Amino acid sequence: MDQDLPGGARVIVGVDESPAARLALAWAIGTARLRRMPLVAVHVSRAPIHPFPEALPLQHAARAGEEARGTEVVAAAFDEVCGGVPGDLVTAVVGRMGDPGYHLVDLAGESDLLVLGRSRRGLLSRMLLPSTSMYCARHARATVVIVREPAPPDEPEITGERGRRRFWSR
């Protein structure tokens, strides 16, 4: 599957079902158009891989099913964000199974731009399921852009003294 990927500098975007991933995809499409770079949309399923060798045929079937489902997730994201795969961009879709951070870092080279969405999760959720965007920011050779999900409109803005940054130089 990797032999079908475009060479040179690329915009690689991680896509899942979250709203933050939709925002990251929209940002990646705009950047790919602006810089005239190919766009690679990647979906990595966290499906467990069975450690016992007797489950090997079942593991291959599960991997093929999850990679096909990944292609469907990416197609649905393109439909929601821009009405389908943009015709003016060179695009590729990659579906993998395993740890998302590892596969995204593995795909992104030094000349690539890796775009990820970061949703608003609680502390317990982050402890049980580590942040893929933070893993990629620490380990990727590529430039990493993290697109945050905006705050809900019912949260008050921080103003006054609490909103100001304090510097040690004062």
Side-chain angles (χ1 to χ4, degrees):
M1 183 180 307
D2 288 348
Q3 56 270 25
D4 296 338
L5 294 178
R10 307 168 293 187
V11 176
I12 299 174
V13 59
V15 178
D16 60 11
E17 291 91 359
S18 69
R22 302 296 195 258
L23 293 170
L25 179 62
W27 194 92
I29 290 170
T31 301
R33 283 182 175 148
L34 182 66
R35 297 182 182 204
R36 294 186 175 105
M37 296 169 67
L39 178 69
V40 179
V42 182
H43 175 77
V44 183
S45 297
R46 285 190 187 266
I49 298 173
H50 205 281
F52 300 111
E54 60 268 7
L56 193 61
L58 179 62
Q59 181 178 345
H60 286 300
R63 182 178 302 274
E66 282 299 315
E67 288 177 356
R69 189 182 87 73
T71 305
E72 293 171 5
V73 168
V74 171
F78 272 120
D79 286 341
E80 185 177 327
V81 170
C82 60
V85 178
D88 59 337
L89 290 176
V90 175
T91 58
V93 176
V94 176
R96 292 199 176 167
M97 192 166 105
D99 179 43
Y102 172 79
H103 286 291
L104 289 166
V105 166
D106 183 49
L107 277 172
E110 285 186 29
S111 62
D112 294 334
L113 181 64
L114 180 59
V115 182
L116 302 164
R118 181 165 184 192
S119 60
R120 297 179 166 272
R121 298 190 310 174
L123 178 64
L124 182 63
S125 173
R126 290 210 183 271
M127 286 175 41
L128 295 176
L129 192 60
S131 172
T132 300
S133 59
M134 290 297 105
Y135 177 86
C136 292
R138 287 186 193 112
H139 296 94
R141 298 177 313 264
T143 302
V144 179
V145 176
I146 299 174
V147 180
R148 288 196 55 136
E149 186 177 355
D154 59 337
E155 285 187 14
E157 289 186 28
I158 298 175
T159 58
E161 277 299 311
R162 290 188 63 202
R164 292 187 187 169
R165 292 182 180 226
R166 298 177 190 216
F167 297 101
W168 290 101
S169 62
R170 288 186 184 181

